[in-house]
Amino acid sequence: MAALRKFKSAATKVKMANLAVESFKSVPHGIDGDTFFTPEIPEEIKSAVELLHKVDDAAFEKLVHAVVDSFQTGDFPSDDTFDKVKGEVGGEEGANYNVIFTAIHTIIRTAVRNRTKASVVAADLKAINVPPSFVDIIIKVMKQDRFQLETNSVATRTRFPRLDNLQWRVDVAISSSSLLRVFRPSILFQMSLSDGTIKTFEVSVEHFHQLRYNTAKVLRDMQELERHPIMRIAFEGDKKKFDDK
């Protein structure tokens, strides 16, 4: 009986030790709001953290560069392209590379769009148990390609359609059902948007002058804001956003 108790005690200790080791290979509970992923760490990252501990540095670095290439093209790679990437990366975890690729893409996209400082990104990734060597690879790539990643992030972000073309003409109403002679001008606008839609609307001369005045006022306010000293300070701080202090 004593031997059985000792065996069970030893088995329990081994089990607890294994659980402790496994806990360092997964995202800790309750940490979501303390990271740059706030309010919640995406599920694709939680699923990938444990898989990252089974991948070597060379394979992970190739996947990171594949993610950066996808940012340059503005879209995820096709199935054939991704199969080629998996073939080049190699390794035993090839079946899980799609999960890891998605997680890396989410990490870089979130950090770039939130303009998170590199030191914060590194600390948060280590806090969710991403291997330190992988964190160094991500930070290195983000610093090297920072401006290109930011540019592509702005170009591919979700937003309203842009104004591609604007045409206008002046129409004059000669008469109406109640008046024989009106001679009242109006301006007809036709806007072509970046999503291919065309919007047509008509405004009176009074409303056109109001639109023209408000547009000039906004442009003047923007110029005054750009000349403000605090904007120069903000711009200099923005340039160092990804740099460690």
mmCIF file of all heavy atoms in Angstrom, residues 35 56 112 126 129 188 196 212 227 241:
data_model
loop_
_atom_site.group_PDB
_atom_site.id
_atom_site.type_symbol
_atom_site.label_atom_id
_atom_site.label_comp_id
_atom_site.label_asym_id
_atom_site.label_seq_id
_atom_site.Cartn_x
_atom_site.Cartn_y
_atom_site.Cartn_z
ATOM 1 N N THR A 35 -3.138 43.285 -23.721
ATOM 2 C CA THR A 35 -2.297 43.231 -24.914
ATOM 3 C C THR A 35 -2.795 44.220 -25.966
ATOM 4 O O THR A 35 -3.872 44.808 -25.826
ATOM 5 C CB THR A 35 -2.314 41.812 -25.520
ATOM 6 O OG1 THR A 35 -3.631 41.525 -26.022
ATOM 7 C CG2 THR A 35 -1.944 40.771 -24.461
ATOM 8 N N ASP A 56 10.614 25.143 -36.253
ATOM 9 C CA ASP A 56 11.964 25.686 -36.082
ATOM 10 C C ASP A 56 12.030 27.114 -36.602
ATOM 11 O O ASP A 56 11.137 27.595 -37.305
ATOM 12 C CB ASP A 56 13.008 24.805 -36.774
ATOM 13 C CG ASP A 56 12.737 24.642 -38.270
ATOM 14 O OD1 ASP A 56 12.589 25.671 -38.960
ATOM 15 O OD2 ASP A 56 12.643 23.501 -38.736
ATOM 16 N N VAL A 112 0.363 46.933 -37.033
ATOM 17 C CA VAL A 112 0.562 48.030 -37.977
ATOM 18 C C VAL A 112 -0.628 48.978 -37.965
ATOM 19 O O VAL A 112 -0.473 50.203 -37.929
ATOM 20 C CB VAL A 112 0.805 47.466 -39.390
ATOM 21 C CG1 VAL A 112 0.781 48.580 -40.433
ATOM 22 C CG2 VAL A 112 2.144 46.750 -39.441
ATOM 23 N N LYS A 126 5.540 37.945 -26.081
ATOM 24 C CA LYS A 126 6.184 37.077 -25.091
ATOM 25 C C LYS A 126 5.227 36.740 -23.954
ATOM 26 O O LYS A 126 5.267 35.640 -23.405
ATOM 27 C CB LYS A 126 7.442 37.756 -24.556
ATOM 28 C CG LYS A 126 8.562 37.864 -25.583
ATOM 29 C CD LYS A 126 9.766 38.610 -25.033
ATOM 30 C CE LYS A 126 10.856 38.733 -26.092
ATOM 31 N NZ LYS A 126 12.037 39.497 -25.597
ATOM 32 N N ASN A 129 3.166 33.836 -24.639
ATOM 33 C CA ASN A 129 3.984 32.626 -24.796
ATOM 34 C C ASN A 129 4.368 32.304 -26.235
ATOM 35 O O ASN A 129 4.549 31.135 -26.592
ATOM 36 C CB ASN A 129 3.291 31.411 -24.168
ATOM 37 C CG ASN A 129 3.239 31.505 -22.654
ATOM 38 O OD1 ASN A 129 4.121 32.079 -22.031
ATOM 39 N ND2 ASN A 129 2.191 30.962 -22.059
ATOM 40 N N LEU A 188 -26.332 70.757 -61.694
ATOM 41 C CA LEU A 188 -26.484 69.301 -61.696
ATOM 42 C C LEU A 188 -25.102 68.665 -61.585
ATOM 43 O O LEU A 188 -24.212 68.939 -62.383
ATOM 44 C CB LEU A 188 -27.169 68.837 -62.982
ATOM 45 C CG LEU A 188 -27.471 67.336 -63.078
ATOM 46 C CD1 LEU A 188 -28.554 66.944 -62.082
ATOM 47 C CD2 LEU A 188 -27.898 66.965 -64.502
ATOM 48 N N GLY A 196 -17.422 52.067 -58.675
ATOM 49 C CA GLY A 196 -18.136 51.993 -59.942
ATOM 50 C C GLY A 196 -19.516 52.612 -59.939
ATOM 51 O O GLY A 196 -20.138 52.741 -61.006
ATOM 52 N N ARG A 212 -19.680 75.588 -51.445
ATOM 53 C CA ARG A 212 -18.380 76.168 -51.777
ATOM 54 C C ARG A 212 -17.748 76.860 -50.569
ATOM 55 O O ARG A 212 -16.545 76.719 -50.313
ATOM 56 C CB ARG A 212 -18.564 77.175 -52.923
ATOM 57 C CG ARG A 212 -17.284 77.767 -53.471
ATOM 58 C CD ARG A 212 -17.570 78.516 -54.758
ATOM 59 N NE ARG A 212 -18.546 79.586 -54.558
ATOM 60 C CZ ARG A 212 -18.223 80.819 -54.150
ATOM 61 N NH1 ARG A 212 -16.955 81.128 -53.921
ATOM 62 N NH2 ARG A 212 -19.150 81.738 -54.002
ATOM 63 N N ARG A 227 -0.188 73.744 -39.480
ATOM 64 C CA ARG A 227 0.843 74.690 -39.058
ATOM 65 C C ARG A 227 0.989 74.759 -37.543
ATOM 66 O O ARG A 227 1.928 75.392 -37.042
ATOM 67 C CB ARG A 227 0.526 76.085 -39.609
ATOM 68 C CG ARG A 227 0.725 76.214 -41.111
ATOM 69 C CD ARG A 227 0.762 77.669 -41.534
ATOM 70 N NE ARG A 227 -0.508 78.335 -41.291
ATOM 71 C CZ ARG A 227 -1.485 78.477 -42.186
ATOM 72 N NH1 ARG A 227 -1.307 77.968 -43.403
ATOM 73 N NH2 ARG A 227 -2.598 79.103 -41.890
ATOM 74 N N LYS A 241 7.295 55.698 -33.857
ATOM 75 C CA LYS A 241 6.283 54.871 -33.213
ATOM 76 C C LYS A 241 6.744 53.447 -33.003
ATOM 77 O O LYS A 241 6.417 52.801 -32.005
ATOM 78 C CB LYS A 241 5.013 54.878 -34.082
ATOM 79 C CG LYS A 241 3.777 54.360 -33.371
ATOM 80 C CD LYS A 241 3.317 55.301 -32.290
ATOM 81 C CE LYS A 241 2.016 54.837 -31.654
ATOM 82 N NZ LYS A 241 1.559 55.709 -30.605
#
